[in-house]
Amino acid sequence: MTTLQTVFARAKADDRAALIGYLPAGFPTKDGAIAAAAAMVDAGCDVIEIGLPYSDPLMDGPTIQDAVHRSLTNGTRIADVLRTVEGVAKTGAATLVMTYWNPIDRYGADRFARALADAGGVGTITPDLTPEEAEPWREASAGAGIDTVFLVAPSSPESRIKAVVGCCTGFVYAASLMGVTGARESVGEAAQGLVERTRLQTDMPVCVGLGVGTGKQAAEVARYADGVIVGSAFIRRLLDAPDEASGLAAVRELGAELAAGVRR
Amino acid sequence: MTATDGTLLTPADLAGNGVHGDDPDVHGKFGVFGGRYVPEALIPALDEVAAEYEKARNDAGFLREFDHLLRTYAGRPTTLTEVPRFAEQAGGARIILKREDLTHTGAHKINNVLGQALLTKRLGKTRVIAETGAGQHGVATATAAALMGLECVIYMGAVDCERQALNVARMKLLGATVVPVTNGSQTLKDAINEAFRDWVANVDRTHYLFGTIAGPHPFPEIVRDFARIIGVEARRQMLELTGRLPDAVAAAVGGGSNAIGIFHAFIGDEGVQLHGYEAGGRGLETGEHALTLTEGSIGVLHGSRTYVLQDEEGQTIESHSISAGLDYPGVGPEHAWLKDTGRASYHGITDAEAMDAFSLLARTEGIIPAIESSHALAGALKLGREMGPEATILVNLSGRGDKDMGTAMKYFNL
């Protein structure tokens, strides 16, 4: 099992940023998600975030909403998410689950943390869990030995950044812009400033997500961040592909472009 | 002071803490319910709204302005109407209606939107967004936005746009942009998701004018306080009319704002039972209902810990009701708290029971209620039969039924 700490140490030694890819479990199909994640790893992703599909993804833009909707329509359950994590972890990538809080809350925090660790997962990203409500999850995660990643945003004042990084282990997720997930023409101008403000509060790696979709953008973000997070752009390749094989090829191609970007 | 002179509001009327000490705690919790489960990006905006509201609720100028609008624009105070012919079906109990249907725009929603529109101006924001189910909150928001010169965008599930076409036209006429939401179940819950997505991207100049007492803190508290005037007036009017407090207060519960609005002033009155009526839809056994408090489980939806209709893995289950305004799989955290503390009790009313009460009130009293409010009316009929002829029941007639004529025409083959 590759830990986040190993990933960031290795990237640092190579003098590059880590590449983090996101894909919801069960999309395009249950097995297809494992194959697509494996292709992402093959192409150069160091970390994979497996999304736990949720009926009310209020932080997600149309691309991820679409993928998540298809996944839920495919009947994806938490057991499938865990099976996906297991499959992806075997590729050697550090594997996280990205999920809204309610599915964990309902499943049971301790039970979910243990199940995720057993599947080879190394942690979670929880976009709607703020420091005030995070205690039960932090305890459960510490008990299971997995990392907890939370988000800071361009709107976060110093006091909030301090509170959020105090809850993070592994890395800090810096949202590049005020908005939902989805590839954009340009990465938010606020991103670099947010990373700098976050670094004043922590020595932990700071990774940037939201709006990154090209090698050029990855290179730009890699200049100031420890990791570059890409989700919707991978999903878009799969949504637009006429069949699974060409989808995987497109994912591989994008992965290679981004991997080159973080090494520029 | 009578109901018609002096001011309608005092700081204590607006602020729950001045009356009963039951405001949420610093994290917005009512017991274990409430809180904030939202992207970190929105926390500063929620803090800003909470801080500005705290100033406003203690500002005599704000209260004066709100009071003036309620009186001269919304048409407050609304009257009480006793409905003896309707009550014949309730075992002879006295039934008295609080006539929120007589407010400007035709539903209690106007109270909250006027308060929040004033707050929007204090926040220095120029744009409001809102979700709507039945369209009543959308119409009310568009109305307040027109009145105060604010840009207005309303998110409404595509399914709801269709069944409430008249309200869509009203919103457009009032100058609002109506965005049909086509993802998920295409109803109120998805409209809320979409409004949050807009808010996080445009928070600098936009206030999310939340329509019910759900959502992240401080919305449950703010919306309650602005709706609270319903019960403040009704309590005073009941004492004038009957010389005593009612034995029970009945209200429909979707998100729960009209119910908390009429309940809240009575929470400290131990002898007054509080009954909320949820949409039983086609019946519990069919799975097509919106029985969030009575059949749901504790979870997190739209930023708040509360009762939720969800499966065993936390996926939201789609609700059903003939009434778009009650068709919501969550509920305000304060109702969850009132349920768990036993102060209020909650029951289901099916589509059929609600529609019977709808037509009964029309035929016996010449009042066409909203289908939402008809759930409370049906509840009061049952309650009267249980409590006996000595009982007096106050019902929140939260809105009028004009908007429901399409549904009624189909249902009754009119």
Side-chain angles (χ1 to χ4, degrees):
Chain A
M1 186 182 75
T2 310
T3 64
L4 290 171
Q5 290 70 22
T6 311
V7 166
F8 288 107
R10 201 164 59 198
K12 195 169 185 179
D14 294 352
D15 195 26
R16 65 170 176 95
L19 180 60
I20 302 169
Y22 165 92
L23 195 71
F27 171 79
T29 61
K30 289 177 188 176
D31 290 332
I34 299 176
M40 286 155 73
V41 176
D42 237 16
C45 283
D46 304 283
V47 179
I48 297 291
E49 300 171 8
I50 294 299
L52 192 157
Y54 175 53
S55 52
D56 292 273
L58 67 76
M59 223 199 99
D60 287 306
T63 305
I64 292 181
Q65 283 179 50
D66 190 354
V68 160
H69 181 72
R70 287 171 195 230
S71 172
L72 288 172
T73 309
N74 291 344
T76 304
R77 309 284 290 173
I78 288 177
D80 301 308
V81 175
L82 294 168
R83 200 169 61 80
T84 308
V85 168
E86 204 172 343
V88 176
K90 280 184 191 146
T91 64
T95 310
L96 299 164
V97 163
M98 180 145 185
T99 179
Y100 291 89
W101 174 240
N102 197 49
I104 297 183
D105 189 69
R106 184 74 170 147
Y107 195 82
D110 286 324
R111 182 178 166 220
F112 189 85
R114 277 197 309 271
L116 180 56
D118 288 347
V122 298
T124 57
I125 304 171
T126 43
D128 64 346
L129 201 56
T130 56
E132 288 76 9
E133 306 292 352
E135 197 50 41
W137 183 234
R138 290 174 65 198
E139 275 177 28
S141 296
I146 58 173
D147 285 319
T148 52
V149 176
F150 297 91
L151 280 73
V152 291
S155 59
S156 305
E158 188 189 332
S159 59
R160 295 298 307 179
I161 293 176
K162 202 176 241 172
V164 172
V165 301
C167 296
C168 290
T169 64
F171 68 91
V172 182
Y173 189 130
S176 71
L177 48 81
M178 294 297 289
V180 294
T181 56
R184 301 212 180 27
E185 291 290 309
S186 64
V187 178
E189 286 168 18
Q192 184 168 359
L194 176 60
V195 171
E196 282 162 10
R197 290 193 294 129
T198 305
R199 291 207 194 282
L200 295 176
Q201 309 295 337
T202 181
D203 296 330
M204 240 180 301
V206 182
C207 303
V208 170
L210 299 195
V212 188
T214 66
K216 187 165 168 280
Q217 290 170 332
E220 185 191 318
V221 171
R223 277 200 289 274
Y224 56 83
D226 301 300
V228 179
I229 305 170
V230 179
S232 297
F234 280 118
I235 291 166
R236 179 47 53 203
R237 297 300 191 280
L238 292 167
L239 285 169
D240 290 348
D243 55 62
E244 197 175 320
S246 48
L248 289 179
V251 159
R252 223 176 245 113
E253 192 184 350
L254 175 63
E257 178 189 330
L258 294 165
V262 300
R263 284 169 174 80
R264 229 176 271 168
Chain B
M1 186 168 72
T2 73
T4 49
D5 43 60
T7 55
L8 296 172
L9 284 166
T10 66
D13 288 338
L14 196 61
N17 61 351
V19 179
H20 193 248
D22 47 10
D23 271 3
D25 71 12
V26 63
H27 296 307
K29 290 289 177 80
F30 297 90
V32 301
F33 301 105
R36 286 175 175 174
Y37 295 83
V38 293
E40 183 64 32
L42 285 176
I43 296 290
L46 292 169
D47 280 343
E48 184 190 19
V49 173
E52 194 57 44
Y53 175 63
E54 200 52 40
K55 275 190 248 165
R57 83 199 300 201
N58 294 302
D59 175 351
F62 177 83
L63 291 174
R64 217 166 24 242
E65 210 175 342
F66 185 40
D67 188 287
H68 180 75
L69 284 174
L70 290 178
R71 183 183 296 278
T72 63
Y73 190 73
R76 304 208 72 90
T78 59
T79 190
L80 294 185
T81 301
E82 181 156 9
V83 286
R85 281 171 38 80
F86 177 80
E88 282 172 17
Q89 303 298 315
R94 280 184 91 172
I95 296 182
I96 295 167
L97 308 182
K98 176 63 172 166
R99 299 292 305 279
E100 292 301 296
D101 61 317
L102 297 178
T103 54
H104 178 46
T105 72
H108 75 100
K109 296 281 188 189
I110 192 74
N111 305 311
N112 169 45
V113 300
L114 288 173
Q116 283 201 58
L118 286 175
L119 198 59
T120 304
K121 295 190 88 167
R122 282 182 71 111
L123 287 162
K125 300 194 171 179
T126 56
R127 178 175 181 265
V128 289
I129 55 171
E131 82 292 346
T132 196
Q136 290 305 94
H137 176 57
V139 167
T141 303
T143 299
L147 176 68
M148 298 191 199
L150 301 165
E151 186 188 340
C152 180
V153 176
I154 304 294
Y155 290 94
M156 188 168 182
V159 170
D160 290 336
C161 285
E162 202 171 306
R163 58 181 166 177
Q164 304 287 344
L166 197 60
N167 271 343
V168 174
R170 289 169 82 193
M171 288 182 264
K172 288 181 176 168
L173 197 58
L174 290 160
T177 303
V178 180
V179 181
V181 176
T182 53
N183 44 32
S185 59
Q186 309 189 16
T187 60
L188 180 56
K189 84 172 178 72
D190 308 286
I192 294 175
N193 293 336
E194 207 54 33
F196 270 112
R197 293 178 189 124
D198 179 316
W199 201 31
V200 74
N202 299 293
V203 70
D204 281 350
R205 61 188 188 99
T206 302
H207 176 62
Y208 184 1
L209 208 159
F210 208 77
T212 190
I213 59 160
H217 176 67
F219 289 122
E221 182 184 12
I222 290 179
V223 178
R224 175 198 72 191
D225 286 358
F226 290 149
R228 202 172 177 280
I229 186 68
I230 304 169
V232 169
E233 277 177 14
R235 190 176 184 282
R236 201 153 58 199
Q237 292 167 320
M238 285 300 291
L239 289 172
E240 282 171 15
L241 181 71
T242 69
R244 61 188 196 84
L245 294 173
D247 299 296
V249 179
V253 179
S257 62
N258 93 79
I260 208 74
I262 198 162
F263 284 177
H264 203 261
F266 293 96
I267 285 178
D269 300 316
E270 279 175 25
V272 180
Q273 298 178 19
L274 305 176
H275 294 276
Y277 295 93
E278 300 189 299
R282 298 200 171 97
L284 174 60
E285 64 287 346
T286 65
E288 295 182 43
H289 57 77
L291 297 168
T292 309
L293 284 162
T294 43
E295 296 296 331
S297 52
I298 295 172
V300 170
L301 181 65
H302 295 140
S304 186
R305 175 174 292 280
T306 184
Y307 281 85
V308 179
L309 291 179
Q310 59 181 342
D311 70 12
E312 67 275 22
E313 295 201 343
Q315 305 289 349
T316 309
I317 295 172
E318 287 176 17
S319 53
H320 168 83
S321 171
I322 193 167
S323 136
L326 303 184
D327 197 347
Y328 181 55
V331 68
E334 193 166 4
H335 283 299
W337 183 65
L338 290 173
K339 172 192 156 84
D340 276 19
T341 59
R343 180 60 190 94
S345 48
Y346 298 88
H347 326 269
I349 292 292
T350 62
D351 290 349
E353 290 170 322
M355 293 310 284
D356 284 350
F358 174 90
S359 77
L360 182 65
L361 190 73
R363 282 184 284 110
T364 57
E365 303 286 351
I367 299 170
I368 300 175
I371 300 177
E372 288 78 9
S373 321
S374 302
H375 288 70
L377 290 164
L381 293 176
K382 285 188 179 176
L383 200 56
R385 291 193 285 264
E386 281 163 32
M387 294 177 77
E390 301 305 312
T392 301
I393 302 166
L394 172 67
V395 180
N396 194 6
L397 195 72
S398 53
R400 60 175 172 243
D402 307 32
K403 70 181 173 61
D404 294 315
M405 281 307 107
T407 307
M409 284 164 76
K410 253 189 251 169
Y411 191 87
F412 295 113
N413 267 325
L414 301 173

